[in-house]
Amino acid sequence: MSPTHIAAAPDVSEAAGKAELAQGWVEDNIDLLIGVPLRILLIVVVAVIVRAFAKRAITRVVQRVIKDAEENGGTQRSRGPAVLQRAARTNERRQQRAKTIGNVLSSIATIVIAVMAVAMVLDQLGIALGPLLASAGVVGLAIGFGAQSLVADYLSGLLIMFEDQYGVGDSVDLGEAVGEVEEVGLRLTKIRDLYGGLWCIRNGEILRVKNDSQDWARAVLDMSVSYDADLDKVSQVLTETGREMREDPEFRDVLLEDPSVWGVQSLDADGVVVRLAVKTVPLQQWGVTRELRLRAKKALDAAGVEHPFPQRTLWVRNDEAAAVGTMKPADADAKAGKTV
C-alpha cells in the first residue's frame, strides 16, 4: 500500500466518526429541532383561529342587538313624535351599550387567548411556569393595591352597562350631578346639567342613581284652592280637564293613562291643596305638568273656583304711645310737652 493511501485512511475514518456523531445528535434532538417549532407554530395558529372565531361571534351578537334596536325603532314610527323620540334615544342607548360591551368582551377574549398561548409556548420551550406565575401574581397584587380605584371604576362601569342602570339620553340624578347623560364609558360617565355644564364622574364614585327616563314617568300637579271651594266640584273640573288633555292629539301619545285626582294632599295656611297625577312617557313629565297647570287654572277660573292668596293679620305696635300709657301722669305730661 502506498503512503498516500495509508495517510488517507485515518482522515476517512475521522470524517465518518464525525458524521456518526452528528447523526446521533440529530436523532437525539430531532424533537427539539422539528417537534417543538411545529408545536409552537400549531399553538399560534390555533390561538389566532380561536380569537378570530370569538371576535366574529361577539361581532355577530352585537350586530344582532343593533339590528333588533333599529327594527323596533322602525315599528314605532307610526305612533307619534314623543314615542318616536323616545324610541330613537332608546335605540341609540342600546347600540352604544352593545358596542361597548362587545369591545370589552373582544378585548377580554384576546387577552385570555394570548395568555394561554404564551403559557403553552413557554411550556414547550421547557420554561417552568410556577416561578413565573408566582412573580406575576406578586406584581399583579402590587398593581392592584396601587390602582384599586381605577379597577373599581372599570368594574363599576361594566356593572352599569350590564345592568342597564342608565344610558345616553337618560335624565339622571347622581347626587351633585343632575342632568342628561351624554356618554357612558368604562371609567367615566359624562352628564350635561341644566345650565350646560359638563360633569365627568368616575363610575366608582357613583353610589346611587335616580333615573327619570326608564319605562315611564309621572307628572304630579298640586293645585291650591280656597277653603270655601266645593272640593267635589274641584275634583270634577280637574278630572274633566285631564280627560280633555288625554284626548288632545298633541298629548295622546304622551299620556299613558287618564289623569286622576288623588284627593286632598294637604291643608295649608292659605288653602286646600288637591293633587292631580298621570303617567307619561319618560322625559315628558315636566312639560305635561306645565300644560296641566295651565289648563287646570283656566278650568277652575271658568268654574268660579277661587284660588287662595296669602292672608295675614298685622299688629302694629306704637312704642311711644305704649310708653306714655305706662308712665305716671306727671311724667306723661312732661313727655307730651306739658307743664304742671
Side-chain angles (χ1 to χ4, degrees):
M1 183 177 293
S2 63
T4 304
H5 293 99
I6 294 174
D11 295 339
V12 173
S13 60
E14 184 178 357
K18 292 181 178 180
E20 291 178 359
L21 289 176
Q23 183 178 0
W25 184 86
V26 170
E27 291 176 356
D28 294 338
N29 297 277
I30 187 68
D31 184 67
L32 181 63
L33 295 175
I34 300 177
V36 173
L38 287 178
R39 286 195 291 270
I40 292 176
L41 180 61
L42 180 62
I43 291 172
V44 173
V45 171
V46 171
V48 171
I49 294 175
V50 171
R51 179 186 176 278
F53 274 107
K55 188 174 181 180
R56 183 178 179 182
I58 294 172
T59 302
R60 290 183 63 182
V61 171
V62 172
Q63 290 179 350
R64 183 175 180 179
V65 172
I66 295 175
K67 183 178 179 180
D68 291 342
E70 293 177 350
E71 290 178 353
N72 292 334
T75 57
Q76 300 282 353
R77 296 193 177 185
S78 61
R79 295 193 56 185
V83 177
L84 178 59
Q85 183 179 8
R86 178 182 56 163
R89 290 192 176 187
T90 303
N91 294 337
E92 180 183 359
R93 165 180 171 176
R94 290 186 60 185
Q95 290 177 11
Q96 185 193 30
R97 179 166 163 257
K99 290 179 180 179
T100 304
I101 294 177
N103 293 334
V104 171
L105 293 178
S106 180
S107 300
I108 292 176
T110 300
I111 293 174
V112 172
I113 293 172
V115 170
M116 293 180 61
V118 170
M120 296 174 68
V121 169
L122 293 178
D123 182 62
Q124 292 298 321
L125 295 177
I127 299 176
L129 295 179
L132 187 62
L133 292 177
S135 301
V138 173
V139 173
L141 188 62
I143 294 176
F145 276 111
Q148 54 183 342
S149 61
L150 185 63
V151 175
D153 293 339
Y154 278 94
L155 290 178
S156 299
L158 284 175
L159 290 176
I160 288 172
M161 292 182 182
F162 278 111
E163 295 175 357
D164 194 20
Q165 298 180 13
Y166 55 81
V168 175
D170 285 358
S171 179
V172 298
D173 181 354
L174 305 182
E176 293 186 7
V178 180
E180 182 177 342
V181 179
E182 287 201 349
E183 183 179 342
V184 181
L186 291 178
R187 194 177 72 88
L188 292 176
T189 293
K190 296 182 179 180
I191 305 293
R192 183 77 64 177
D193 63 16
L194 180 63
Y195 302 99
L198 183 64
W199 292 70
C200 297
I201 306 103
R202 289 171 41 204
N203 292 329
E205 295 181 344
I206 299 175
L207 302 180
R208 60 155 178 85
V209 178
K210 176 190 174 186
N211 194 333
D212 293 321
S213 307
Q214 287 191 352
D215 299 332
W216 55 272
R218 176 174 280 128
V220 179
L221 174 64
D222 289 337
M223 294 296 296
S224 183
V225 297
S226 65
Y227 276 98
D228 297 332
D230 185 354
L231 296 182
D232 293 334
K233 183 178 180 181
V234 171
S235 178
Q236 181 181 359
V237 171
L238 294 179
T239 302
E240 293 177 355
T241 301
R243 187 180 299 110
E244 291 175 358
M245 185 173 175
R246 178 76 188 282
E247 296 173 355
D248 190 337
E250 184 179 356
F251 295 95
R252 184 179 303 163
D253 297 316
V254 176
L255 303 183
L256 302 180
E257 63 182 11
D258 289 334
S260 60
V261 179
W262 286 5
V264 177
Q265 180 65 19
S266 63
L267 300 176
D268 292 346
D270 301 321
V272 181
V273 178
V274 181
R275 173 161 291 184
L276 177 68
V278 59
K279 282 186 178 181
T280 70
V281 298
L283 300 179
Q284 299 296 322
Q285 60 269 34
W286 302 289
V288 169
T289 302
R290 289 190 291 268
E291 182 67 21
L292 265 178
R293 184 178 293 111
L294 176 62
R295 296 191 180 206
K297 172 65 169 59
K298 293 180 178 179
L300 292 175
D301 289 343
V305 177
E306 180 182 356
H307 295 279
F309 55 89
Q311 300 182 20
R312 300 291 184 268
T313 301
L314 301 179
W315 293 83
V316 180
R317 179 179 179 182
N318 190 334
D319 293 337
E320 182 177 352
V324 171
T326 57
M327 291 181 182
K328 294 180 180 180
D331 295 335
D333 292 340
K335 184 72 174 178
K338 298 180 178 180
T339 58
V340 180

